[in-house]
Amino acid sequence: MNIKSEITFVIVSLESVNNLKKCIKNIGANYKIIIAENSNNSKIKDELESSFENVECILLGTNYGYATAANKGISCVKTKYAFLINADMEIYENQ
């Protein structure tokens, strides 16, 4: 089995669209990505999910803060492993 299919990246965000787009592009299309968005901004969800097939954006409705948002994002992971990162982190597929 391909290890890439066993990993989901979880990214906590608060309306950080530009950082998210850069981060998602750096990760690449071979991994599942869940965005735990600390807002109720459906435009962000629509934009990210329509731009990236491997992204699921979960709107939390309010700013719960980092830890609660991270836990909510991780609870949606269906793969064997979750990799929690920040939206401003630069991670590349070949690392």
XYZ file of all heavy atoms in Angstrom:
741
model
N 0.838 -1.186 0.000
C 0.000 0.000 0.000
C 0.883 1.250 0.000
O 1.922 1.294 0.636
C -0.914 -0.002 1.224
C -1.773 1.249 1.316
S -3.054 1.170 2.566
C -4.288 0.335 1.627
N 0.456 2.253 -0.699
C 1.162 3.522 -0.779
C 0.961 4.316 0.509
O -0.164 4.562 0.924
C 0.633 4.302 -1.983
C 1.370 5.584 -2.228
O 2.163 6.039 -1.404
N 1.112 6.177 -3.375
N 2.044 4.725 1.156
C 1.965 5.458 2.418
C 1.192 6.761 2.261
O 0.542 7.215 3.200
C 3.373 5.711 3.016
C 3.277 6.280 4.443
C 4.173 6.662 2.157
C 2.765 5.332 5.465
N 1.223 7.361 1.081
C 0.511 8.615 0.855
C -0.995 8.459 1.055
O -1.663 9.396 1.467
C 0.805 9.161 -0.534
C 2.243 9.610 -0.688
C 2.528 10.097 -2.081
C 3.991 10.488 -2.196
N 4.328 10.977 -3.522
N -1.513 7.293 0.787
C -2.949 7.064 0.961
C -3.319 6.842 2.425
O -4.491 6.787 2.762
C -3.399 5.873 0.116
O -2.788 4.685 0.588
N -2.311 6.727 3.300
C -2.561 6.503 4.722
C -2.393 7.768 5.564
O -2.526 7.713 6.779
C -1.614 5.423 5.239
C -1.850 4.061 4.606
C -0.984 2.993 5.218
O -0.747 3.041 6.431
O -0.542 2.109 4.478
N -2.088 8.897 4.922
C -1.822 10.142 5.645
C -2.828 11.213 5.238
O -3.082 11.415 4.051
C -0.405 10.663 5.362
C 0.645 9.652 5.824
C -0.172 12.020 6.022
C 2.052 9.980 5.386
N -3.366 11.909 6.235
C -4.177 13.100 6.003
C -3.512 14.265 6.711
O -3.172 14.166 7.889
C -5.614 12.933 6.547
O -6.244 11.847 5.872
C -6.430 14.201 6.349
N -3.322 15.353 5.991
C -2.834 16.579 6.597
C -4.022 17.352 7.146
O -5.037 17.508 6.466
C -2.094 17.443 5.573
C -0.725 16.934 5.239
C -0.539 15.990 4.242
C 0.377 17.396 5.928
C 0.716 15.514 3.937
C 1.652 16.926 5.632
C 1.817 15.988 4.635
N -3.916 17.821 8.378
C -4.941 18.658 8.999
C -4.321 20.029 9.209
O -3.256 20.153 9.816
C -5.422 18.070 10.344
C -6.432 18.995 11.009
C -6.009 16.678 10.140
N -5.003 21.040 8.689
C -4.508 22.415 8.789
C -5.563 23.256 9.501
O -6.711 23.317 9.068
C -4.214 23.018 7.408
C -3.302 22.102 6.588
C -3.626 24.413 7.559
C -3.138 22.518 5.138
N -5.162 23.903 10.589
C -6.047 24.814 11.321
C -5.880 26.202 10.722
O -4.768 26.652 10.463
C -5.708 24.830 12.820
C -6.527 25.878 13.550
C -5.949 23.450 13.419
N -7.020 26.878 10.516
C -6.966 28.187 9.876
C -8.011 29.124 10.465
O -9.032 28.690 10.997
C -7.236 28.023 8.375
O -7.368 29.269 7.735
N -7.731 30.413 10.345
C -8.714 31.455 10.617
C -8.628 32.443 9.459
O -7.833 33.376 9.460
C -8.466 32.161 11.948
C -9.421 33.315 12.281
C -10.866 32.825 12.328
C -9.053 33.967 13.592
N -9.401 32.140 8.421
C -9.491 32.979 7.231
C -8.117 33.326 6.645
O -7.831 34.471 6.337
C -10.320 34.223 7.528
C -11.743 33.866 7.925
C -12.664 35.052 8.103
O -12.194 36.156 8.441
O -13.874 34.866 7.892
N -7.284 32.324 6.472
C -5.929 32.489 5.930
C -5.844 31.916 4.525
O -5.029 31.037 4.243
C -4.922 31.781 6.832
O -4.955 32.291 8.124
N -6.670 32.403 3.628
C -6.802 31.810 2.300
C -5.484 31.776 1.538
O -5.126 30.742 0.967
C -7.883 32.544 1.474
C -7.996 31.965 0.080
C -9.227 32.471 2.169
N -4.763 32.876 1.511
C -3.514 32.905 0.737
C -2.490 31.919 1.288
O -1.840 31.205 0.523
C -2.938 34.324 0.701
C -3.800 35.254 -0.121
O -4.489 34.838 -1.032
N -3.767 36.536 0.210
N -2.344 31.880 2.613
C -1.427 30.903 3.218
C -1.883 29.479 2.942
O -1.068 28.601 2.657
C -1.314 31.122 4.726
C -0.451 32.305 5.087
O 0.400 32.722 4.321
N -0.667 32.846 6.263
N -3.184 29.244 3.032
C -3.720 27.904 2.784
C -3.428 27.445 1.360
O -2.989 26.315 1.141
C -5.226 27.860 3.046
C -5.647 27.845 4.486
C -7.155 28.078 4.610
C -5.266 26.541 5.157
N -3.683 28.301 0.397
C -3.445 27.930 -1.002
C -1.975 27.560 -1.235
O -1.682 26.570 -1.889
C -3.850 29.071 -1.930
C -5.334 29.225 -2.089
C -5.624 30.361 -3.045
C -7.095 30.520 -3.303
N -7.360 31.631 -4.228
N -1.082 28.359 -0.700
C 0.347 28.079 -0.857
C 0.713 26.762 -0.186
O 1.417 25.926 -0.762
C 1.163 29.226 -0.263
C 2.642 29.090 -0.481
C 3.384 30.316 0.046
C 4.871 30.160 -0.136
N 5.619 31.296 0.388
N 0.213 26.553 1.021
C 0.499 25.333 1.776
C -0.045 24.105 1.043
O 0.652 23.100 0.901
C -0.106 25.456 3.174
S 0.288 24.090 4.263
N -1.267 24.181 0.564
C -1.888 23.064 -0.151
C -1.110 22.735 -1.417
O -0.858 21.567 -1.727
C -3.371 23.380 -0.464
C -4.183 23.448 0.830
C -3.948 22.353 -1.429
C -5.548 24.088 0.678
N -0.726 23.764 -2.161
C 0.062 23.537 -3.384
C 1.390 22.865 -3.057
O 1.847 21.990 -3.790
C 0.295 24.856 -4.108
C -0.935 25.373 -4.807
C -0.668 26.711 -5.463
C -1.939 27.287 -6.051
N -1.741 28.638 -6.597
N 2.020 23.274 -1.956
C 3.294 22.682 -1.561
C 3.156 21.213 -1.178
O 4.029 20.409 -1.479
C 3.913 23.455 -0.394
C 4.438 24.812 -0.799
O 4.652 25.078 -1.968
N 4.632 25.672 0.169
N 2.068 20.871 -0.510
C 1.833 19.472 -0.114
C 1.606 18.613 -1.349
O 2.090 17.489 -1.437
C 0.643 19.360 0.847
C 0.983 20.030 2.184
C 0.234 17.904 1.063
C -0.207 20.206 3.107
N 0.866 19.125 -2.292
C 0.591 18.394 -3.526
C -0.751 17.694 -3.491
O -1.454 17.674 -2.476
N -1.091 17.104 -4.609
C -2.412 16.502 -4.786
C -2.480 15.044 -4.345
O -3.541 14.430 -4.409
C -2.818 16.608 -6.255
N -1.374 14.476 -3.879
C -1.346 13.054 -3.541
C -1.762 12.739 -2.113
O -1.750 11.577 -1.718
C 0.051 12.492 -3.794
C 0.396 12.494 -5.262
O -0.447 12.227 -6.106
N 1.630 12.829 -5.578
N -2.089 13.768 -1.337
C -2.491 13.566 0.046
C -3.874 14.156 0.292
O -4.233 15.167 -0.307
C -1.516 14.263 1.010
C -0.136 13.700 1.005
C 0.864 14.264 0.223
C 0.193 12.602 1.797
C 2.147 13.755 0.222
C 1.479 12.088 1.802
C 2.451 12.666 1.017
O 3.718 12.157 1.019
N -4.613 13.541 1.172
C -5.876 14.098 1.634
C -5.551 15.246 2.584
O -4.643 15.146 3.404
C -6.676 13.005 2.349
C -7.932 13.470 2.996
C -9.064 13.496 2.010
C -10.363 13.822 2.747
N -11.176 14.756 2.069
N -6.296 16.354 2.477
C -6.088 17.518 3.338
C -7.425 17.951 3.922
O -8.405 18.117 3.187
C -5.462 18.680 2.553
C -4.102 18.270 1.975
C -5.335 19.927 3.447
C -3.503 19.276 1.008
N -7.459 18.122 5.229
C -8.640 18.645 5.913
C -8.282 19.998 6.496
O -7.300 20.124 7.230
C -9.123 17.697 7.020
C -9.615 16.380 6.407
C -10.230 18.354 7.851
C -10.015 15.332 7.426
N -9.071 21.005 6.155
C -8.908 22.342 6.718
C -9.936 22.498 7.823
O -11.133 22.348 7.583
C -9.149 23.447 5.664
C -8.341 23.215 4.396
C -8.920 24.828 6.275
C -6.866 23.279 4.556
N -9.486 22.786 9.037
C -10.387 23.105 10.147
C -10.449 24.626 10.220
O -9.567 25.275 10.779
C -9.874 22.503 11.448
N -11.463 25.197 9.602
C -11.595 26.650 9.456
C -12.381 27.236 10.623
O -13.551 26.945 10.808
C -12.277 26.981 8.122
C -12.611 28.431 7.898
C -11.405 29.350 7.972
O -10.336 29.011 7.425
O -11.541 30.416 8.591
N -11.693 28.069 11.407
C -12.266 28.699 12.602
C -13.175 29.874 12.252
O -13.082 30.946 12.832
C -11.139 29.207 13.512
C -10.702 28.176 14.519
O -11.527 27.579 15.195
N -9.403 27.970 14.616
N -14.058 29.672 11.291
C -15.023 30.699 10.921
C -16.227 30.011 10.285
O -16.281 28.778 10.210
C -14.413 31.710 9.932
O -14.330 31.161 8.634
N -17.133 30.808 9.812
C -18.291 30.279 9.099
C -18.308 30.832 7.677
O -19.362 31.026 7.091
C -19.578 30.646 9.837
C -20.729 29.756 9.436
O -20.526 28.600 9.072
N -21.939 30.279 9.474
N -17.130 31.089 7.129
C -16.977 31.724 5.827
C -17.083 30.680 4.711
O -16.113 30.020 4.360
C -15.629 32.448 5.769
C -15.499 33.330 4.564
O -16.092 33.077 3.529
N -14.698 34.377 4.698
N -18.281 30.571 4.154
C -18.525 29.566 3.119
C -17.776 29.879 1.820
O -17.531 28.972 1.018
C -20.019 29.422 2.848
O -20.563 30.646 2.413
N -17.394 31.132 1.602
C -16.621 31.476 0.407
C -15.253 30.798 0.443
O -14.764 30.330 -0.582
C -16.451 32.993 0.294
C -17.734 33.709 -0.063
C -17.511 35.200 -0.178
C -18.819 35.903 -0.473
N -18.659 37.366 -0.557
N -14.646 30.749 1.624
C -13.355 30.063 1.762
C -13.521 28.586 1.456
O -12.750 28.003 0.695
C -12.774 30.274 3.176
C -12.359 31.728 3.377
C -11.593 29.330 3.434
C -11.931 32.060 4.789
N -14.517 27.965 2.045
C -14.787 26.538 1.817
C -14.995 26.260 0.331
O -14.360 25.368 -0.231
C -16.018 26.107 2.623
C -16.429 24.667 2.407
C -17.668 24.344 3.239
C -18.218 22.964 2.965
N -17.343 21.881 3.367
N -15.861 27.036 -0.302
C -16.155 26.831 -1.722
C -14.916 27.022 -2.592
O -14.666 26.240 -3.501
C -17.265 27.784 -2.177
C -18.599 27.501 -1.522
O -18.784 26.382 -0.970
O -19.463 28.394 -1.546
N -14.145 28.066 -2.293
C -12.955 28.354 -3.081
C -11.918 27.241 -2.971
O -11.363 26.784 -3.978
C -12.343 29.685 -2.634
C -11.148 30.108 -3.448
C -10.616 31.483 -3.066
O -11.285 32.212 -2.315
O -9.518 31.808 -3.524
N -11.661 26.777 -1.750
C -10.648 25.738 -1.559
C -11.092 24.398 -2.122
O -10.320 23.711 -2.796
C -10.300 25.609 -0.078
C -9.590 26.811 0.538
C -9.439 26.630 2.042
C -8.241 27.047 -0.121
N -12.324 24.014 -1.852
C -12.799 22.710 -2.324
C -12.968 22.667 -3.839
O -12.807 21.603 -4.446
C -14.099 22.336 -1.620
C -13.893 22.002 -0.167
C -15.145 21.594 0.579
O -16.268 21.764 0.038
O -15.014 21.096 1.699
N -13.268 23.799 -4.462
C -13.391 23.805 -5.925
C -12.014 23.890 -6.596
O -11.854 23.454 -7.733
C -14.291 24.946 -6.396
O -13.709 26.196 -6.113
N -11.026 24.436 -5.908
C -9.683 24.570 -6.478
C -8.820 23.327 -6.289
O -7.902 23.088 -7.075
C -8.963 25.765 -5.847
O -9.630 26.960 -6.131
N -9.093 22.562 -5.241
C -8.255 21.406 -4.899
C -9.138 20.192 -4.614
O -9.899 20.180 -3.651
C -7.394 21.712 -3.662
C -6.533 22.925 -3.796
C -6.930 24.144 -3.265
C -5.318 22.866 -4.469
C -6.145 25.273 -3.378
C -4.524 23.993 -4.596
C -4.938 25.197 -4.053
N -9.015 19.153 -5.439
C -9.835 17.950 -5.301
C -9.575 17.188 -4.010
O -10.449 16.489 -3.505
C -9.594 17.005 -6.480
C -10.141 17.501 -7.784
C -9.915 16.500 -8.902
O -9.560 15.336 -8.615
O -10.084 16.891 -10.060
N -8.378 17.316 -3.455
C -7.996 16.549 -2.271
C -8.257 17.290 -0.962
O -7.834 16.842 0.095
C -6.507 16.177 -2.351
C -5.600 17.395 -2.459
O -5.933 18.378 -3.123
N -4.446 17.320 -1.828
N -8.998 18.400 -1.020
C -9.239 19.233 0.165
C -10.695 19.151 0.608
O -11.617 19.253 -0.196
C -8.860 20.707 -0.111
C -9.317 21.625 1.014
C -7.364 20.832 -0.317
N -10.852 18.975 1.918
C -12.157 19.086 2.571
C -12.028 20.194 3.612
O -11.137 20.149 4.462
C -12.535 17.776 3.259
C -13.837 17.839 4.009
C -14.133 16.561 4.778
O -13.366 15.585 4.665
O -15.140 16.549 5.509
N -12.895 21.184 3.527
C -12.856 22.307 4.450
C -14.043 22.209 5.397
O -15.190 22.195 4.968
C -12.888 23.625 3.686
S -12.725 25.078 4.737
N -13.745 22.132 6.678
C -14.779 22.027 7.698
C -14.935 23.390 8.366
O -13.986 23.905 8.960
C -14.399 20.973 8.748
C -14.241 19.621 8.070
C -15.424 20.918 9.868
C -13.471 18.630 8.881
N -16.101 23.991 8.218
C -16.383 25.281 8.838
C -16.826 25.041 10.274
O -17.818 24.359 10.520
C -17.462 26.032 8.071
C -17.128 26.415 6.631
C -18.330 27.092 5.976
C -15.904 27.302 6.567
N -16.099 25.613 11.215
C -16.403 25.394 12.631
C -17.422 26.392 13.161
O -17.953 26.210 14.258
C -15.113 25.451 13.452
C -14.055 24.423 13.029
C -12.796 24.578 13.870
C -14.602 23.012 13.137
N -17.702 27.445 12.400
C -18.759 28.374 12.772
C -18.318 29.514 13.667
O -18.947 30.561 13.692
N -17.264 29.324 14.403
C -16.733 30.350 15.301
C -15.259 30.064 15.542
O -14.780 28.986 15.210
C -17.515 30.370 16.632
O -17.147 31.521 17.389
C -17.289 29.118 17.453
N -14.561 31.011 16.125
C -13.141 30.830 16.399
C -12.968 30.074 17.714
O -12.987 30.660 18.780
C -12.416 32.174 16.449
C -10.919 32.016 16.607
O -10.400 30.909 16.706
N -10.218 33.121 16.625
N -12.777 28.767 17.610
C -12.569 27.916 18.788
C -11.134 27.967 19.295
O -10.840 27.472 20.372
C -12.917 26.463 18.464
C -14.390 26.196 18.398
C -15.029 26.010 17.176
C -15.148 26.120 19.557
C -16.382 25.756 17.111
C -16.506 25.864 19.500
C -17.112 25.686 18.276
O -18.460 25.436 18.224
N -10.233 28.517 18.501
C -8.822 28.492 18.856
C -8.150 27.275 18.251
O -8.790 26.395 17.672
N -6.844 27.239 18.408
C -6.047 26.226 17.731
C -6.341 24.799 18.212
O -6.608 23.905 17.408
C -4.550 26.531 17.888
C -3.700 25.624 17.045
C -3.456 25.923 15.716
C -3.159 24.448 17.565
C -2.697 25.090 14.916
C -2.398 23.606 16.776
C -2.173 23.934 15.450
O -1.433 23.094 14.662
N -6.287 24.568 19.505
C -6.385 23.196 20.027
C -7.734 22.559 19.710
O -7.794 21.415 19.234
C -6.131 23.183 21.529
N -8.814 23.271 19.951
C -10.143 22.710 19.678
C -10.332 22.481 18.188
O -10.851 21.440 17.770
C -11.245 23.630 20.232
O -11.080 23.721 21.650
C -12.628 23.101 19.922
N -9.890 23.440 17.366
C -10.008 23.276 15.914
C -9.187 22.080 15.437
O -9.640 21.307 14.592
C -9.564 24.551 15.206
N -7.989 21.925 15.991
C -7.148 20.780 15.625
C -7.846 19.470 15.971
O -7.879 18.541 15.163
C -5.798 20.865 16.330
N -8.415 19.388 17.155
C -9.126 18.168 17.558
C -10.332 17.898 16.669
O -10.598 16.748 16.314
C -9.548 18.262 19.020
C -8.378 18.069 19.958
O -7.446 17.340 19.658
N -8.427 18.735 21.102
N -11.067 18.943 16.311
C -12.221 18.758 15.422
C -11.774 18.287 14.040
O -12.413 17.429 13.439
C -13.040 20.040 15.343
C -13.805 20.337 16.623
C -14.607 21.620 16.507
C -15.335 21.915 17.803
N -16.534 21.115 18.009
N -10.669 18.840 13.536
C -10.142 18.402 12.245
C -9.661 16.966 12.288
O -9.976 16.160 11.409
N -8.914 16.631 13.324
C -8.399 15.267 13.466
C -9.532 14.255 13.607
O -9.439 13.134 13.109
C -7.410 15.193 14.650
C -6.133 15.951 14.299
C -7.094 13.744 15.020
C -5.189 16.180 15.462
N -10.623 14.650 14.234
C -11.758 13.722 14.396
C -12.395 13.349 13.054
O -13.117 12.352 12.970
C -12.807 14.313 15.333
O -13.516 15.357 14.699
N -12.117 14.104 12.014
C -12.663 13.818 10.678
C -11.728 12.973 9.819
O -12.102 12.573 8.714
C -12.956 15.130 9.960
S -14.218 16.126 10.765
N -10.544 12.683 10.311
C -9.563 11.909 9.553
C -10.001 10.450 9.476
O -10.374 9.855 10.478
C -8.163 12.033 10.205
C -7.170 11.064 9.569
C -7.661 13.464 10.120
N -9.928 9.889 8.270
C -10.299 8.495 8.052
C -9.096 7.630 7.688
O -9.231 6.427 7.507
C -11.358 8.420 6.956
C -12.658 9.090 7.364
C -13.696 9.017 6.267
C -14.966 9.675 6.724
N -15.255 10.915 6.063
N -7.935 8.260 7.566
C -6.723 7.513 7.238
C -6.046 7.042 8.520
O -6.439 7.415 9.622
C -5.750 8.391 6.423
O -5.469 9.579 7.157
C -6.318 8.741 5.063
N -5.011 6.233 8.363
C -4.300 5.673 9.510
C -3.550 6.746 10.298
O -3.453 6.674 11.520
C -3.323 4.602 9.010
C -2.643 3.832 10.103
C -1.827 2.678 9.529
C -1.182 1.860 10.636
N -0.431 0.728 10.094
N -3.023 7.761 9.598
C -2.215 8.784 10.238
C -2.760 10.178 9.950
O -3.286 10.432 8.859
C -0.762 8.726 9.742
C -0.105 7.398 9.947
C 0.083 6.518 8.888
C 0.320 6.998 11.210
C 0.681 5.281 9.077
C 0.921 5.767 11.404
C 1.099 4.913 10.331
O 1.695 3.687 10.515
N -2.595 11.079 10.918
C -2.907 12.494 10.742
C -1.630 13.286 10.970
O -0.860 12.991 11.884
C -3.980 12.938 11.727
N -1.411 14.278 10.141
C -0.242 15.137 10.238
C -0.766 16.557 10.428
O -1.294 17.155 9.496
C 0.576 15.014 8.953
C 1.983 15.530 9.036
C 3.040 14.709 8.694
C 2.246 16.828 9.413
C 4.347 15.174 8.737
C 3.535 17.308 9.469
C 4.594 16.480 9.131
N -0.638 17.101 11.625
C -1.153 18.422 11.962
C -0.114 19.490 11.639
O 1.013 19.426 12.134
C -1.524 18.478 13.447
C -2.095 19.773 13.987
C -3.427 20.103 13.324
C -2.271 19.668 15.501
N -0.500 20.449 10.796
C 0.412 21.534 10.436
C -0.321 22.873 10.479
O -1.555 22.921 10.523
C 1.054 21.319 9.045
C -0.002 21.306 7.939
C 1.868 20.049 9.023
C 0.588 21.267 6.536
N 0.460 23.946 10.439
C -0.086 25.296 10.391
C -0.182 25.760 8.943
O 0.597 25.335 8.089
C 0.810 26.260 11.168
C 0.895 25.906 12.625
O -0.072 25.439 13.221
N 2.061 26.103 13.217
N -1.104 26.684 8.680
C -1.324 27.168 7.314
C -0.118 27.889 6.742
O 0.073 27.922 5.526
C -2.547 28.086 7.282
N 0.730 28.461 7.587
C 1.887 29.198 7.082
C 3.143 28.339 6.997
O 4.231 28.829 6.707
C 2.165 30.431 7.931
C 2.477 30.116 9.378
O 2.303 28.958 9.807
O 2.887 31.044 10.100
N 2.990 27.063 7.167
C 4.117 26.139 7.105
C 4.427 25.786 5.646
O 3.522 25.631 4.842
C 3.759 24.866 7.873
C 4.888 24.029 8.244
S 4.278 22.772 9.405
C 5.662 21.711 9.397
N 5.691 25.685 5.336
C 6.091 25.285 3.993
C 6.584 23.854 4.036
O 7.643 23.557 4.578
C 7.163 26.224 3.458
C 6.634 27.615 3.188
C 7.624 28.488 2.452
O 8.498 27.947 1.724
O 7.507 29.705 2.589
N 5.784 22.973 3.496
C 6.122 21.560 3.431
C 5.972 21.124 1.985
O 5.036 21.538 1.308
C 5.248 20.717 4.381
C 5.717 19.281 4.414
C 3.793 20.803 4.040
C 5.140 18.480 5.561
N 6.910 20.326 1.517
C 6.916 19.943 0.114
C 6.814 18.432 -0.017
O 7.276 17.690 0.842
C 8.180 20.459 -0.572
C 8.252 21.973 -0.528
C 8.912 22.634 0.495
C 7.607 22.720 -1.509
C 8.940 24.028 0.533
C 7.633 24.107 -1.472
C 8.303 24.755 -0.456
O 8.321 26.112 -0.406
N 6.215 18.012 -1.094
C 5.939 16.591 -1.330
C 7.194 15.734 -1.270
O 7.156 14.609 -0.817
C 5.246 16.425 -2.671
C 4.735 15.031 -2.891
C 3.897 14.912 -4.147
O 3.783 15.880 -4.901
O 3.356 13.827 -4.350
N 8.334 16.262 -1.658
C 9.555 15.447 -1.702
C 10.322 15.433 -0.370
O 11.386 14.866 -0.293
C 10.473 15.920 -2.824
C 10.960 17.342 -2.627
O 10.501 18.045 -1.731
N 11.856 17.777 -3.486
N 9.777 16.052 0.675
C 10.473 16.055 1.965
C 10.229 14.770 2.718
O 9.201 14.192 2.699
C 10.026 17.224 2.832
C 10.510 18.536 2.296
C 10.035 19.711 3.137
O 8.887 19.786 3.507
N 10.929 20.630 3.425
